[in-house]
Amino acid sequence: MTAAEPWPENATLYQQLKGEQILLSDNAASLAVQAFLQMCNLPIKVVCRANAEYMSPSGKVPFIHVGNQVVSELGPIVQFVKAKGHSLSDGLDEVQKAEMKAYMELVNNMLLTAELYLQWCDEATVGEITHARYGSPYPWPLNHILAYQKQWEVRRKMKAIGWGKKTLDQVLEDVDQCCQALSQRLGTQPYFFNKQPTELDALVFGHLYTILTTQLTSDELSEKVKNYSNLLAFCRRIEQHYFEDRGKGSSSIRLS
Amino acid sequence: MAAPLELSCWGGGWGLPSVHSESLVVMAYAKFSGAPLKVNVIDNTWRGSRGDVPILTTKDNIVSQPAKILNFLRKQKYNADYELSARQGADTLAYIALLEEKLLPAVLHTFWVENDNYFTVTKPWFASRIPFPLSLILPGRMSKGALNRILLTRGEPPLYHLREVEAQIYRDAKECLNLLSHRLGTSQFFFGDMPSTLDAYVFGFLAPLYKVRFPKVQLQEHLKQLSNLCRFCDDILNSYFRHSLGAFSCVNRNQQQTDFGEASLLLDKKRSMPICRNSPSL
């Protein structure tokens, strides 16, 4: 990864189809990356492809195509962007950087896992939403096969990390705990590290905004987030500052 | 609450009250919060399931998993986080997530997957505490479970080879140790002068890595360079576990000696607990 080339104008971000296919967790990840790049002032064009997951070098979306490099997932993208000379966390000292990394892991550990659980292990959601959406671009029987395969993979992972036996209520409890921690850390500041946003803000925004604006079988998940007014204000602030002001319009998605 | 609290957990060695991270987390928390725990060390006569250890038993409840046990103790008014602010409580959750995501895979690998370590240290130690014939099966199962967890959570493409996954998880673990060291700085505990839940978790994860003698020690070597983390573990061992170390010595099985390498547990001569005698070879 060379730092020599500047950021090209035609950098693209690939994700699944917005309206019919993309799922909650993937949408959150994609929005986090988009927010991060906006915060760094780097232009990016979003392209939707049905096979984005398979095009990605790590099997995860989103991924960005910059020059002749392809990088996927927020962590590696942050490193890549840093190598090109742009960074949001340079101003932090070592202790703050440790805190930032810890909170990013908290979001991955609790919020992302809860989203995956809800999408793939909660029978109601799986039946009504996930299966239909995940396989929608493909013909029968491929759509069913792919959906079942993915479900099996996710369930295996849940079991390995000890979430296999959790009930939906326990998962929602965990989400609440996570939101409470984020809310307490944010306090009355505009961003997590006061005046300037960092990749942590991008990640939290991606997940919370997606949870708030996605319609699922019930509102329980978004209600958990709505309990914390400073988190709502935080999402609104980032949406207004980085998405609407730049003329991109609202990125809200209705998945129903 | 007056009801006796009993904890069943894996025993100790190498100067530790337990070599099992999760058991150690619960023990440390109990010491910090003043909970009167009666510790039952698993030996090869124990009949219960070993999969869920550590397990807390009271008159009416059975609780497993460290997070749930700690919650239970807090509800019984044994709260080590009483003095923490809301933000420090939030930081605790975040750092625990960091430990589980970044450090745990490498710790699991060091204990259960790295062949030299597993066959010379971990497997004999655990097998000696499990009755035959389970002793032939259970350690292998625990090892597979550890490998499974590592591969499922970290072994995704483009890291196709186990060797690449190993390199990545050790890099992450070293970074995590560095972050913890920065965060601890020169303080005695993570949040001031009194130990809290986070200290229990960090101690639980770090102490076995620090003390157990392994043939393949790259992560241990890295940890030893971070002197404030080593001092942190030693302080907790000396302040909270010195007197109870005698209760956690390894069990002699009749005539057989279980060999653990070169660490030794010196016990107060007044106690009549069996002493673990160690010889260098296995």
Side-chain angles (χ1 to χ4, degrees):
Chain A
M1 288 194 203
T2 60
E5 304 138 18
W7 191 264
E9 281 300 314
N10 62 349
T12 31
L13 178 143
Y14 288 87
Q15 64 171 42
Q16 292 114 326
L17 302 175
K18 213 167 174 175
E20 316 88 48
Q21 187 194 16
I22 198 165
L23 293 173
L24 179 61
S25 54
D26 294 330
N27 196 33
S30 175
L31 198 54
V33 172
Q34 288 176 51
F36 175 71
L37 291 172
Q38 288 283 25
M39 288 169 182
C40 293
N41 246 321
L42 298 170
I44 192 101
K45 189 160 145 296
V46 178
V47 170
C48 298
R49 289 269 186 280
N51 59 341
E53 217 181 343
Y54 302 103
M55 285 202 280
S56 160
S58 74
K60 296 235 175 82
V61 286
F63 65 93
I64 58 173
H65 181 197
V66 176
N68 57 359
Q69 309 261 6
V70 179
V71 191
S72 66
E73 293 183 80
L74 183 65
I77 291 177
V78 169
Q79 300 285 58
F80 176 73
V81 164
K82 192 165 171 183
K84 288 221 175 283
H86 304 270
S87 170
L88 295 177
S89 50
D90 272 347
L92 303 179
D93 63 38
E94 292 300 330
V95 174
Q96 286 174 314
K97 278 193 185 143
E99 246 184 70
M100 182 184 77
K101 298 224 160 105
Y103 275 94
M104 285 175 82
E105 288 308 324
L106 179 67
V107 173
N108 282 331
N109 200 339
M110 283 200 168
L111 274 188
L112 178 62
T113 316
E115 287 165 8
L116 284 173
Y117 179 93
L118 194 62
Q119 279 168 195
W120 293 105
C121 302
D122 172 48
E123 292 304 331
T125 317
V126 168
E128 277 181 42
I129 300 179
T130 318
H131 258 212
R133 286 188 71 90
Y134 188 75
S136 63
Y138 304 106
W140 186 91
L142 194 56
N143 54 353
H144 285 303
I145 296 174
L146 289 176
Y148 276 115
Q149 187 183 48
K150 180 82 177 177
Q151 184 177 14
W152 180 76
E153 263 176 47
V154 173
R155 285 202 174 167
R156 250 179 91 203
K157 183 171 162 177
M158 291 288 143
K159 214 165 127 198
I161 58 175
W163 280 57
K165 297 216 179 84
K166 284 199 178 183
T167 64
L168 185 60
D169 285 333
Q170 284 170 332
V171 171
L172 290 172
E173 255 305 304
D174 284 344
V175 170
D176 188 50
Q177 234 188 4
C178 181
C179 290
Q180 192 183 34
L182 290 171
S183 174
Q184 281 162 353
R185 177 63 182 79
L186 182 63
T188 49
Q189 298 170 136
Y191 301 110
F192 279 93
F193 289 95
N194 209 7
K195 302 276 186 338
Q196 294 302 319
T198 58
E199 46 263 38
L200 173 62
D201 301 273
L203 184 64
V204 173
F205 171 72
H207 282 276
L208 293 185
Y209 191 83
T210 311
I211 290 176
L212 288 169
T213 55
T214 306
Q215 249 178 12
L216 297 169
T217 52
S218 78
D219 284 333
E220 291 171 312
L221 191 58
S222 55
E223 287 303 317
K224 291 287 175 199
V225 180
K226 285 186 187 155
N227 281 333
Y228 300 98
S229 56
N230 63 344
L231 293 181
L232 288 178
F234 170 79
C235 289
R236 213 163 282 137
R237 189 180 308 125
I238 295 194
E239 184 193 1
Q240 279 174 339
H241 196 75
Y242 291 100
F243 286 91
E244 279 171 19
D245 280 358
R246 311 277 171 107
K248 274 199 154 210
S250 169
S251 328
S252 75
I253 299 183
R254 295 253 148 251
L255 300 179
S256 56
Chain B
M1 196 159 156
L5 301 165
E6 290 193 21
L7 181 73
S8 305
C9 59
W10 292 109
W14 295 277
L16 296 172
S18 172
V19 302
H20 183 228
S21 281
E22 297 187 341
S23 308
L24 204 52
V25 168
V26 176
M27 282 191 202
Y29 184 83
K31 290 279 180 189
F32 297 161
S33 61
L37 268 194
K38 180 166 169 306
V39 177
N40 295 329
V41 166
I42 295 179
D43 60 16
N44 55 11
T45 62
W46 198 66
R47 289 275 163 257
S49 157
R50 284 165 175 77
D52 295 337
V53 163
I55 297 178
L56 185 73
T57 344
T58 65
K59 203 161 49 116
D60 323 301
N61 288 304
I62 299 182
V63 191
S64 64
Q65 292 184 354
K68 290 191 190 149
I69 296 178
L70 260 52
N71 264 342
F72 182 82
L73 287 175
R74 277 189 210 107
K75 291 205 180 95
Q76 305 297 320
K77 310 284 186 230
Y78 297 114
N79 188 0
D81 297 341
Y82 194 68
E83 305 270 323
L84 295 187
S85 69
R87 174 152 162 186
Q88 288 172 325
D91 283 354
T92 300
L93 269 187
Y95 277 100
I96 292 176
L98 185 70
L99 283 174
E100 285 183 359
E101 292 283 314
K102 298 281 180 185
L103 188 58
L104 182 61
V107 170
L108 284 178
H109 188 274
T110 307
F111 273 75
W112 293 100
V113 180
E114 176 65 64
N115 279 329
D116 284 348
N117 295 347
Y118 173 64
F119 286 110
T120 52
V121 179
T122 318
K123 187 169 173 191
W125 193 93
F126 279 90
S128 70
R129 282 153 178 74
I130 303 172
F132 183 85
L134 274 182
S135 59
L136 299 177
I137 308 170
L138 217 51
R141 205 184 290 171
M142 289 163 90
S143 169
K144 278 207 190 68
L147 181 60
N148 210 21
R149 182 173 174 152
I150 295 173
L151 286 180
L152 281 179
T153 51
R154 310 305 291 281
E156 286 141 352
L159 304 170
Y160 287 105
H161 221 262
L162 181 60
R163 213 163 283 292
E164 292 169 17
V165 179
E166 284 171 9
Q168 180 66 39
I169 62 181
Y170 277 103
R171 262 200 299 273
D172 285 342
K174 287 176 187 167
E175 196 198 331
C176 179
L177 290 176
N178 292 343
L179 292 177
L180 287 173
S181 181
H182 283 304
R183 176 63 183 76
L184 180 63
T186 49
S187 324
Q188 195 181 8
F189 298 112
F190 278 90
F191 296 118
D193 298 328
M194 294 303 293
S196 61
T197 304
L198 180 58
D199 301 283
Y201 268 91
V202 174
F203 175 69
F205 278 75
L206 253 43
L209 196 61
Y210 175 35
K211 295 283 189 186
V212 176
R213 292 279 176 271
F214 284 120
K216 285 272 169 69
V217 290
Q218 58 158 318
L219 197 55
Q220 197 176 58
E221 292 299 315
H222 188 91
L223 175 57
K224 287 190 179 160
Q225 287 168 12
L226 299 167
S227 54
N228 61 347
L229 293 180
C230 298
R231 186 252 316 148
F232 171 79
C233 292
D234 286 326
D235 278 350
I236 293 183
L237 279 173
N238 287 330
S239 323
Y240 292 93
F241 289 105
R242 196 181 342 147
H243 297 297
S244 34
L245 225 40
F248 300 124
S249 58
C250 17
V251 174
N252 269 352
R253 237 202 291 179
N254 302 325
Q255 313 290 354
Q256 285 171 323
Q257 302 288 324
T258 322
D259 299 312
F260 290 109
E262 30 127 349
S264 61
L265 271 182
L266 293 176
L267 298 167
D268 189 340
K269 293 206 171 56
K270 300 194 196 89
R271 295 187 192 272
S272 56
M273 286 277 160
I275 301 178
C276 178
R277 246 165 282 152
N278 298 292
S279 47
S281 64
L282 198 62

